[in-house]
Amino acid sequence: MGTINGSIKLRLAHVGKRFDAAGRAATVAVDDFTLDVAQGEFLVIVGPSGCGKTTVLNMLAGLDRPSAGSVTLDGREITRPGPARGVMFQDYALFPWQNVRGNVGFGLKHGPAGAGLASDARARRVQDCIDLVGLNGAEDKYPHQLSGGMRQRVALARLMANEPEVLLMDEPLAALDAQTRLILQDELLRIWGQDRAQSSRRTVVFITHAIDEAVFLADRVAVMTTRPGRLKALIDVPLARPRNDATRASAEFQALSQHIWSLIRDEAYRATVT
Ligand SMILES: Nc1ncnc2c1ncn2[C@@H]1O[C@H](COP(=O)(O)OP(=O)(O)O)[C@@H](O)[C@H]1O
Ligand SMILES: [Mg+2]
């Protein structure tokens, strides 16, 4: 189980992370965590609240450094954020004073991703990404005028506009209502290019605590233990792509969800009592 297909894009090797606090015992957030992610793979990490998921993602993003082990992209140590990796969080993180167009184009205008792009090429890419996420017609709206689902579409468009090789997504759908979540799961797979060849897809590391979401999206699901976060299991999800509502209704989907729940149940219980 947990077999890797293709070349390795991201590698976490024996990664540990401890947070030292003055006058208190250190928190070991992540311990001896080893995981390879293949080029073009959609890897989902699940685990109970506080198990270290965000800590792992922050180290992949280069926002935080491991206390032990190594984190690499294409074999090179990750030491800081870089344009090859784009990050998306649960809480929209949009600029309230910028409209949709301004938010989507922000990284291109101010970050390394847009360096060397002429302003008309930049404008075209921004519009393409707005169209891609279905926000055509909402270009001049401001974040406070948008629903939660639309805001996350803006965040997704901004992420895609920078054309990162790797998408790092920390519970991006967790704040949305159940129906909106299902729709955005479908949209995410479409935008990722689920009907394209693996070699032409972007590599995704997606965090969620929702098991159905993990199974629907993933090529493989990494299950983490309660703190300190370790890798408990790696589950292959051999469901055919493109995936859709019929996938969610299938017996195979239900069986995989049940299996992952059985792995996570004890961890989730421990997380509620410790
Ligand atoms: N900057 C920090 N300082 C101290 N402790 C932290 C810090 N960030 C996270 N932790 C602790 O590390 C553990 C894992 O946190 P986190 O990675 O956010 O978990 P998850 O995303 O799975 O809910 C938690 O116990 C949390 O309190
Ligand atoms: Mg988290």
Side-chain angles (χ1 to χ4, degrees):
M1 279 313 216
T3 43
I4 196 158
N5 285 312
S7 62
I8 292 164
K9 188 73 179 168
L10 295 166
R11 167 165 276 175
L12 294 139
H14 305 289
V15 169
K17 179 66 186 178
R18 46 184 293 162
F19 293 104
D20 295 309
R24 276 191 289 121
T27 303
V28 180
V30 176
D31 186 39
D32 197 21
F33 190 95
T34 295
L35 176 68
D36 288 341
V37 185
Q39 154 60 37
E41 176 173 23
F42 204 123
L43 188 282
V44 178
I45 300 176
V46 294
S49 176
C51 77
K53 303 182 294 298
T54 294
T55 303
V56 168
L57 203 88
N58 284 345
M59 291 188 283
L60 289 169
L63 295 168
D64 214 342
R65 299 280 293 134
S67 337
S70 72
V71 186
T72 56
L73 168 73
D74 293 327
R76 283 185 296 276
E77 196 75 28
I78 294 171
T79 56
R80 64 177 77 87
R85 284 155 291 139
V87 188
M88 182 168 165
F89 301 102
Q90 172 176 334
D91 56 3
Y92 321 120
L94 301 179
F95 304 110
W97 63 89
Q98 294 267 350
N99 64 15
V100 168
R101 196 181 284 111
N103 269 287
V104 174
F106 195 87
L108 289 184
K109 199 164 178 188
H110 302 285
L117 266 191
S119 68
D120 58 334
R122 202 162 62 205
R124 216 171 315 122
R125 199 195 288 181
V126 168
Q127 190 61 50
D128 286 348
C129 289
I130 289 172
D131 295 347
L132 181 69
V133 301
L135 285 180
N136 192 306
E139 289 85 349
D140 298 320
K141 292 215 156 77
Y142 285 82
H144 75 270
Q145 297 173 296
L146 304 174
S147 66
M150 287 173 86
R151 285 185 215 170
Q152 281 308 58
R153 285 177 190 266
V154 177
L156 189 56
R158 183 176 57 188
L159 185 64
M160 299 305 287
N162 297 327
E163 301 190 340
E165 297 165 27
V166 174
L167 309 180
L168 302 172
M169 311 182 93
D170 192 356
E171 308 212 32
L173 310 183
L176 305 175
D177 66 76
Q179 290 89 342
T180 306
R181 260 187 50 208
L182 292 183
I183 288 165
L184 282 184
Q185 288 168 10
D186 294 344
E187 292 281 84
L188 183 57
L189 288 185
R190 174 181 65 75
I191 289 161
W192 173 61
Q194 67 165 341
D195 38 19
R196 266 185 260 148
Q198 185 173 337
S199 58
S200 64
R201 287 175 185 156
R202 290 171 213 280
T203 307
V204 183
V205 178
F206 183 104
I207 288 175
T208 181
H209 56 258
I211 293 168
D212 58 339
E213 184 163 285
V215 174
F216 185 72
L217 296 172
D219 291 317
R220 290 185 304 158
V221 176
V223 180
M224 284 182 76
T225 62
T226 309
R227 203 167 43 131
R230 298 195 182 98
L231 186 63
K232 182 174 177 119
L234 259 179
I235 314 295
D236 283 325
V237 181
L239 300 169
R241 296 188 190 275
R243 296 177 187 168
N244 48 39
D245 274 336
T247 311
R248 293 189 179 94
S250 70
E252 206 182 355
F253 178 89
Q254 301 295 333
L256 277 161
S257 301
Q258 272 301 318
H259 176 53
I260 291 172
W261 172 238
S262 73
L263 290 169
I264 223 174
R265 183 173 40 217
D266 295 346
E267 304 299 332
Y269 178 78
R270 284 210 292 140
T272 64
V273 295
T274 56

